[in-house]
């Protein structure tokens, strides 16, 4: 099996801590190069990948013939142009979420993907984790009966980190784009349903970025509520509430970083079954699935069309928030 050879555009902290090590560890992948103008940042990557080649600009990496795929962890407002540039350079692309800031921007990326014949996807890692695959299967099997409501929370507090790109409007910051994508996409993935309407969204802004959102949405078969915030104590969960049981993922978004990934199924008779995945790395699974799809060995679990649906829901939430 020929490995997919990877380059990373930008020495982001998240790339250094999570995705570059995942590429380095994944079966069927080889971490070859990093593009950064800061040699000090490159050293953090070379500690676990000593042979890593460093390019001093992004275009130089994209022009390298020995790179098959690129991972893009750049600020949100740069995702669309650099994804398209990478596709036009003949590279497969895995880009951090949100891959676009508006649903309409997917038209350009999908067109570039189709023209290049390469794989392009948003780095939406949770759909690769067995806790979400298991939750989707349990719901389809009727483990909780008829689904009535989905409830989710994702929060952390970075109020003191004023230089963080999440707190800057010019880089496409805000809580919804950073972590709301998880609360929306998780419900869509597990249920296989799309929202009909977002009748209520209360947003609070600081420095022109959303720092708190309370959302109510209507799906064809169930209702949905979410709280997303960059100004609240760290918390995350998602619960699927049916007429015969409740399915809860207690650490759904930062599995084995925030806490151990676990699924809890409570059904009639107060029977509780808990499943846990203490050793699973969803970033490694994401890279391995991407490599298989790039070699045409399997379909990819999270194509651009799925990510487009999450961005459509986010656009609906922003519109509801503007209506008040």
């Amino acid at each position: 099996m020929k490995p997919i050879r990877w380059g990373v555009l930008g020495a982001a902290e998240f790339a250094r801590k999570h995705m570059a090590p995942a590429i380095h560890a994944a079966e069927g992948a080889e971490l070859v190069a990093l593009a950064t103008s800061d040699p000090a940042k490159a050293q953090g990557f070379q500690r676990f990948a000593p042979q890593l080649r460093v390019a001093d600009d992004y275009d130089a990496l994209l022009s390298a013939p020995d790179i098959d795929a690129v991972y893009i962890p750049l600020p949100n407002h740069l995702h669309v142009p650099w994804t398209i540039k990478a596709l036009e350079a003949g590279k497969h692309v895995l880009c951090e979420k949100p891959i676009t800031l508006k649903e309409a921007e997917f038209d350009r990326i999908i067109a570039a993907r189709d023209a290049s014949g390469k794989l392009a996807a948003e780095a939406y890692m949770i759909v690769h984790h067995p806790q979400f695959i298991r939750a989707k299967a349990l719901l389809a099997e009727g483990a909780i009966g008829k689904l009535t409501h989905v409830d989710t929370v994702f929060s952390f507090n970075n109020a003191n980190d004023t230089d963080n790109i999440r707190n800057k409007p010019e880089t496409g910051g805000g809580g919804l784009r950073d972590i709301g994508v998880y609360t929306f996409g998780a419900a869509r993935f597990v249920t296989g349903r799309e929202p009909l309407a977002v009748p209520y969204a209360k947003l609070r802004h600081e420095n022109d970025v959303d720092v708190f959102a309370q959302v109510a949405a209507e799906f064809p078969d169930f209702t949905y509520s979410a709280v997303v915030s960059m100004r609240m104590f760290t918390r995350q969960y998602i619960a699927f509430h049916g007429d015969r049981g409740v399915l809860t993922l207690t650490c759904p978004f930062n599995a084995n970083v925030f806490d151990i990934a676990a699924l809890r199924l409570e059904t009639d008779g107060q029977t509780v079954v808990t499943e846990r995945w203490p050793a699973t790395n969803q970033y490694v699974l994401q890279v391995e699935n991407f490599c298989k799809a790039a070699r045409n060995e399997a379909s990819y679990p999270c194509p651009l069309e799925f990510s487009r649906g999450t961005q459509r829901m986010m656009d609906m939430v922003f519109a509801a928030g503007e209506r008040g």
Side-chain angles (χ1 to χ4, degrees):
M1 177 180 64
K2 183 180 178 181
I4 299 295
R5 298 163 298 182
W6 286 79
V8 179
L9 291 190
E13 181 181 12
F14 183 82
R16 176 177 57 82
K17 287 185 174 180
H18 297 290
M19 279 303 299
I23 295 169
H24 187 58
E27 183 178 351
E30 181 180 351
L31 182 60
V32 175
L34 168 71
T36 178
S37 59
D38 188 341
K41 290 184 177 180
Q43 291 175 6
F45 291 76
Q46 290 172 323
R47 289 190 184 99
F48 60 84
Q51 305 303 315
L52 187 69
R53 184 172 78 246
V54 180
D56 59 7
D57 67 69
Y58 303 154
D59 288 309
L61 189 148
L62 292 183
S63 65
D66 64 335
I67 300 297
D68 304 311
V70 294
Y71 165 65
I72 301 177
L74 300 173
N76 295 342
H77 70 298
L78 298 176
H79 290 174
V80 171
W82 282 104
T83 294
I84 292 174
K85 282 186 178 183
L87 288 168
E88 291 176 343
K91 313 301 183 186
H92 303 289
V93 181
L94 183 64
C95 180
E96 263 310 316
K97 49 76 201 159
I99 195 170
T100 75
L101 301 181
K102 295 285 185 181
E103 184 204 348
E105 293 178 310
F106 272 90
D107 291 340
R108 295 172 58 203
I109 296 180
I110 289 174
R113 176 201 65 185
D114 294 347
S116 69
K118 300 296 181 178
L119 175 62
E122 184 178 67
Y124 194 65
M125 72 288 186
I126 66 173
V127 301
H128 305 272
H129 198 290
Q131 69 172 334
F132 270 98
I133 296 169
R134 178 68 169 144
K136 186 178 181 71
L138 286 170
L139 206 68
E141 293 168 7
I144 61 171
K146 176 179 170 52
L147 178 64
T148 301
H149 184 70
V150 177
D151 176 34
T152 182
V153 171
F154 196 177
S155 64
F156 65 93
N157 193 337
N158 69 351
N160 294 326
D161 192 2
T162 56
D163 290 332
N164 194 302
I165 60 173
R166 296 164 182 82
N167 285 319
K168 296 182 177 182
E170 64 271 21
T171 55
L176 286 171
R177 287 179 174 135
D178 186 51
I179 56 177
V181 62
Y182 293 118
T183 62
F184 302 156
R188 295 180 53 251
F189 176 75
V190 173
T191 66
R193 309 295 269 174
E194 300 293 340
L196 299 174
V198 178
Y200 176 83
K202 179 179 181 179
L203 308 185
R204 181 164 62 84
H205 294 80
E206 293 178 12
N207 189 35
D208 294 327
V209 298
D210 63 281
V211 298
F212 172 86
Q214 182 183 13
V215 177
E218 296 176 357
F219 282 72
D221 310 302
F222 58 92
T223 55
Y224 169 94
S225 62
V227 170
V228 176
S229 180
M230 302 194 301
R231 297 294 185 268
M232 296 171 68
F233 184 76
T234 303
R235 185 185 180 205
Q236 57 178 266
Y237 79 90
I238 183 167
F240 301 86
H241 198 160
D243 60 357
R244 293 194 291 108
V246 178
L247 177 64
T248 304
L249 306 187
T250 56
C251 179
F253 307 128
N254 296 123
N256 299 336
V257 176
F258 170 73
D259 199 352
I260 293 176
L263 177 153
R264 183 178 187 272
L265 175 62
E266 181 178 356
T267 54
D268 290 341
Q270 296 183 324
T271 299
V272 177
V273 176
T274 301
E275 301 179 39
R276 306 167 82 212
W277 295 268
T280 299
N281 187 314
Q282 60 189 348
Y283 302 109
V284 171
L285 293 176
Q286 176 178 237
V287 174
E288 291 178 346
N289 285 339
F290 189 95
C291 290
K292 291 174 184 176
R295 291 191 296 265
N296 295 314
E297 296 172 358
S299 59
Y300 193 63
C302 186
L304 289 177
E305 287 76 9
F306 174 84
S307 297
R308 181 172 197 151
T310 299
Q311 186 59 53
R312 182 183 303 119
M313 184 173 179
M314 191 173 302
D315 290 353
M316 294 167 70
V317 170
F318 277 122
E322 291 174 1
R323 293 194 303 267

